[in-house]
Each structure stands twice: as C-alpha cells, then as structure tokens.
Amino acid sequence: MNRRQFLALATLTGLSAACGSSGRPATPAPPAFRTELRIPPLLEPRTARDGTRHFALKIQRGRTELLPGKPTETWGFNGPHLGPTIRAARGDRVRMSVTNRLAEASTVHWHGMRLPARMDGGPHQMIEPGGTWTPHWTIDQPAATSWYHPHPHGETAGHVYRGLAGMFIIDDGDTPELPGEYGVDDVPLILQDRDQAGDADVLGGTFGILGDRMLVNGTYAPFMTVRAERVRFRVLNGSNARRYNLVFGDGRRFHVVGNDAGLLAAPVEVEQVSLSPGERAEVVVTFSAGEQVLLRTVSGGDDIDEGDFDLLKLVAAERLTPSPALPSRLAAPEAIVVPANARVRRFRLNGHDAINGKEMDMSRIDEVVPAGATEIWEVENTVYAHNFHIHEVAFQVLDVDGQKPPPYATGHKDTVYVPPKSTVRLAVRFGGFTDPVTPYMYHCHLLRHEDSGMMGQFVIVEPGTEDRVSRTIAH
Ligand code: C2O
Ligand code: CU
C-alpha cells in the first residue's frame, strides 16, 4: 500500500494518519478557532499635487505570539509581522518609499507587477540597513491580486518566513457585481505554515520549511464572521514550500473568479483549488445565515502538500446582507495568442538548485527577450516538486504533460505548479519596458530552491538588438 492509499484508507476508516511513511508527526488535533482573523490594514497613500500616490513601507523587526505561548522574533512592514494591503488602480502613478530598519540588507519585489526592471525589487535592487528605496511606475495591467515580498539572493526564504509579505490589489474599472468591500465581503487570506518547534531551518531538507501549524493573515486557528451572502476571498499562498489543496469541510462548491494575474472569462465552479507558493486565486463563496464551515487543505499526494489541516472557521451571522448574483461574464484580460513562429525556450529544473544545469549567477544574463514578444516557455521537471514564476509577464498555461489545465487555472498567471516528472508549457507575453543591463528573474518559488540557485535572469530589449546585448553584468 502506498502513502496515498494509506491516507485514503485512513480517512475512510476514521483512523488518524498517525504515522505516515515520512515519519512526520501526525496531523495535529483541530484547534479551537477562537481568535478573530486579522485583516491586514489598507495602506493609505498620500496623494501628491501631480496626482502621484505615495505609499510608505518600513521594514522592521518585532515580536509576535504567532503560536499560543510561543512569542518569537518576527519581521514586518509598518508593524511586527506581515504588511499592510496596498491598493491602486490601473492608470495610477505610484511611488513607493521602502525604508529598511533591519540590521541586514533586503529588497521588496512587487510580485505580479508589470514594471521596468529597475523598479522590480529583485536581488539587484538591494536596500541597505537604514536605506530607503523609492521605485515608481504607472499601474498598467488588469485587475488582479498580487503581492510583495523581499528577494535578496540566498536570503529570501528567511525574510519571508519571518513575516515579510503583503498583498497588492490592483483595480481596473471594477466589476461591480463582484463583492468588493475590503475586509467585509472582499477578504485577503494569506496562507502560511509554521514549524511549531520554532527554530525552523528554512534551508534544510529538500524543500525547506513544511510546517505543521497553519496561519491565515498571521492568525493561528482563526475564525471570521461572515456578514454577506457572498464573500470574495483573495487567497495568496505565502508559504515557503507548502502547496494547498483548498476545500470546505462540508464539501460545498464555490466559484473561482480570478487567477494570479487577472480575472477569468467567467466564474468556474469547483470543489477544490490548488495553490503552490506564490500563486493566488480569487474565489467567491456563498453562505447561509447562521451556518459554520471550515476552510481546509487536504493532502494531494506530493511531498509538498502532505497532511490535512483546518485553516479558517467561517461563522455566518444570523442575518446576512443580500449580495447580487454572480455575473456570468467577468472582465478577463484578453487571451494570449501564440504566433505560429513563436520562439520556444526550454528550462529544465535540475535537482533543487539549478535550471538547465546552471546555478543562479547574479552576473550572468541567461535569456534575452525582445520587447512585446509572445513566446512558449517549456518547463521540464525531473525529480522533486517545483513551481515556476516569471517576473514582469503574464502567461497562460498551454498544457501540463499534454493535458489542458483545469478550467479554473486557465486565466492569466505568473506562477505555476510543475509536478514531479512533468513538462508544463506556457504562452508568455512580455512587456515593453526595455533595459539591456537590468534583469528580471524567473525561478522556482519554493523559497529554499530559489535561494539555493534554481533561478535565472532575463533582460527585455529593443527588438533587433538581442545579439548586441552583453551576457554579463558588471557589479
Ligand atoms: Cu514572488 Cu521572484 O518572486
Ligand atoms: Cu523548486
């Protein structure tokens, strides 16, 4: 009997999966869900005379009792843990000021944002202790749920695990029919796992952290009072390595309305949604007055999604505000069409520290892409579970081992799960910001893998100048 069959049998017979073949501890007894879910505050911008919206972030240290009775050192933006939600609309000019109050250098990367490479916040835009970085750009992309987190090469896993992560919501002319009142019926859910032993080794083992305690928005065993008939959840997998297979305790069906980089063409009804690290989904769930239901994650049969855990208890009020029906069409960004002569690039994920046999090298440009190109990127995975994230772009998944992705994952994305021993093909649309000397990154978003070298660099250049671009970066 393999592990999956064992778990299936254990579930059927009501046995607890006390001793899986991995030797990991059993799934813990369900906690009481008595702490109210924290909602990250919205970050108020200051609007300058010329209309630019200024957002101020301070990276700081703090102490937080993330797990009961275990206060621990945490890092956060403008607070001791996690960061405020940034919200801006298409067409907004934004200017960030990011001050680093840590004792070590860090960066802030705007994951999912389409912007010039110098503003991207990757490993080439380090902010020294005491320093302030002020990137600015114009938001020009469809409505989406994106996020921000540090990206210092070799240190990202530790910086994110300590708490440096926040959401970045992009609005675009809004779809009024979708629930949209922040914190009421439009609710961010940042999913992260913690190792309750407390001294988690973020770079240990094959995958780094696979914790045994679940946090939502930094809250352990949270409940949320539901006050509207329909709630839109913006779910972000902000974990170092864990993959979530989200279901409701009563098996209810719900609708996915958006992927990482935009809305779907129409809501897709599902009973489960899977998210690997860095991925997002927008889902709409319908409630009846007075009911209670658990949001859970269940084992998926891979190393990075072992274990069943309850995440969040949803408690519907005795009276719910009526919500409009779900629209049958959504404001999806247009499909990415691959031209017949599209360039195909191949990426082989080797072990857990290299792509195409090469470890990340900050001074090497791996790929040169002409501005505005649409290409096919083919990602082949040899052994372990991985995923793949590309900065700056939006892509659509063409196929996974020749099979179409599930309907709920056919929208615009920037991060995709790559199962062991499989090949994922992506239709990738690159933007128009050119800079031959500042690269964007592509990498596995399991942070231990990213840190140990499963990452590469590409530049976007003026079409026709590809051959003239230097393949090394001077520091
Ligand atoms: Cu979310 Cu290169 O990162
Ligand atoms: Cu990986």
Side-chain angles (χ1 to χ4, degrees), residues 27-35 189 191 214 216 219-224 226 233 245-254 271-272 283 285-288 290-298 308-316:
T27 301
F33 294 90
R34 276 197 289 258
T35 311
L189 300 179
L191 309 182
M214 303 296 133
V216 185
T219 329
Y220 176 62
F223 77 90
M224 181 191 131
V226 170
F233 293 105
N245 305 302
L246 300 170
V247 297
F248 285 93
D250 60 0
R252 79 180 51 197
R253 302 176 75 82
F254 54 102
E271 59 191 35
Q272 178 172 325
V283 304
V285 186
T286 305
F287 296 93
S288 337
E291 69 169 348
Q292 301 194 351
V293 66
L294 283 164
L295 176 65
R296 323 189 60 219
T297 180
V298 294
D308 296 353
F309 298 94
D310 298 336
L311 299 168
L312 168 66
K313 184 176 181 177
L314 295 152
V315 181

Side-chain angles (χ1 to χ4, degrees), residues 109-112 120 122-123 147-151 156 160 277-278 280 389-391 414-415 441-445 447 450 455:
H109 165 56
W110 320 103
H111 179 133
D120 190 45
W147 64 302
Y148 60 96
H149 64 78
H151 216 301
T156 298
V160 173
R280 290 87 69 206
H389 167 50
I390 313 175
H391 288 207
D414 54 53
T415 308
M441 308 293 133
Y442 54 88
H443 56 90
C444 176
H445 216 290
L447 302 181
E450 169 180 348
M455 177 153 65

Side-chain angles (χ1 to χ4, degrees), residues 49-376:
R49 257 223 220 106
D50 67 355
T52 304
R53 290 152 76 74
H54 289 248
F55 292 92
L57 291 174
K58 198 167 286 171
I59 310 176
Q60 59 189 70
R61 298 167 48 165
R63 244 181 126 64
T64 312
E65 193 173 321
L66 291 175
L67 298 177
K70 290 181 187 287
T72 182
E73 175 170 341
T74 53
W75 293 357
F77 296 98
N78 303 358
H81 187 246
L82 296 180
T85 297
I86 300 174
R87 187 157 201 168
R90 191 170 200 164
D92 282 355
R93 271 181 300 166
V94 298
R95 186 178 192 91
M96 307 293 168
S97 102
V98 188
T99 299
N100 181 3
R101 294 268 177 249
L102 301 176
E104 62 190 88
S106 191
T107 77
V108 174
H109 165 56
W110 320 103
H111 179 133
M113 202 62 66
R114 313 205 66 176
L115 37 53
R118 284 175 3 261
M119 312 298 175
D120 190 45
H124 294 275
Q125 287 92 39
M126 296 294 279
I127 315 168
E128 296 302 321
T132 296
W133 179 56
T134 53
H136 51 88
W137 69 95
T138 299
I139 306 274
D140 186 15
Q141 61 190 92
T145 299
S146 52
W147 64 302
Y148 60 96
H149 64 78
H151 216 301
H153 186 44
E155 304 290 339
T156 298
H159 286 215
V160 173
Y161 187 72
R162 289 188 196 101
L164 294 177
M167 273 210 182
F168 199 141
I169 297 175
I170 300 165
D171 298 310
D172 179 11
D174 244 356
T175 24
E177 307 88 338
L178 287 176
E181 196 181 336
Y182 184 79
V184 177
D185 64 1
D186 182 353
V187 178
L189 300 179
I190 303 174
L191 309 182
Q192 296 175 312
D193 54 347
R194 291 301 289 185
D195 185 357
Q196 66 144 349
D199 45 7
D201 181 3
V202 292
L203 293 182
T206 306
F207 299 104
I209 297 280
L210 281 167
D212 54 2
R213 292 289 185 275
M214 303 296 133
L215 303 180
V216 185
N217 300 342
T219 329
Y220 176 62
F223 77 90
M224 181 191 131
T225 306
V226 170
R227 303 190 188 282
E229 242 169 45
R230 260 182 272 287
V231 179
R232 171 201 213 165
F233 293 105
R234 299 174 186 263
V235 192
L236 157 66
N237 182 346
S239 303
N240 283 48
R242 178 171 294 280
R243 179 170 186 250
Y244 296 83
N245 305 302
L246 300 170
V247 297
F248 285 93
D250 60 0
R252 79 180 51 197
R253 302 176 75 82
F254 54 102
H255 288 88
V256 181
V257 295
N259 292 159
D260 310 329
L263 295 170
L264 288 161
V268 176
E269 191 179 319
V270 296
E271 59 191 35
Q272 178 172 325
V273 164
S274 297
L275 292 178
S276 67
E279 287 185 289
R280 290 87 69 206
E282 292 187 30
V283 304
V284 175
V285 186
T286 305
F287 296 93
S288 337
E291 69 169 348
Q292 301 194 351
V293 66
L294 283 164
L295 176 65
R296 323 189 60 219
T297 180
V298 294
S299 278
D302 277 338
D303 293 326
I304 59 170
D305 61 11
E306 272 182 27
D308 296 353
F309 298 94
D310 298 336
L311 299 168
L312 168 66
K313 184 176 181 177
L314 295 152
V315 181
E318 287 307 323
R319 299 187 54 186
L320 299 178
T321 322
S323 308
L326 256 192
S328 56
R329 312 288 313 161
L330 301 165
E334 67 188 55
I336 299 173
V337 181
V338 185
N341 60 347
R343 166 119 193 223
V344 180
R345 299 184 203 244
R346 296 196 167 80
F347 302 88
R348 216 176 133 92
L349 307 177
N350 312 105
H352 52 56
D353 54 13
I355 298 178
N356 291 338
K358 292 177 289 186
E359 257 181 48
M360 162 75 168
D361 180 343
M362 295 263 298
S363 60
R364 184 188 66 230
I365 302 290
D366 297 282
E367 305 291 336
V368 178
V369 177
T374 301
E375 302 189 343
I376 293 179

Side-chain angles (χ1 to χ4, degrees), residues 385-387 444 446 449 454:
H386 294 296
N387 73 2
C444 176
L446 273 64
H449 296 175
M454 189 171 269

Side-chain angles (χ1 to χ4, degrees), residues 2-27:
N2 68 26
R3 177 168 174 78
R4 197 180 211 154
Q5 289 161 338
F6 171 80
L7 287 172
L9 182 67
T11 312
L12 276 176
T13 57
L15 284 173
S16 72
C19 46
S21 52
S22 68
R24 284 211 187 89
T27 301

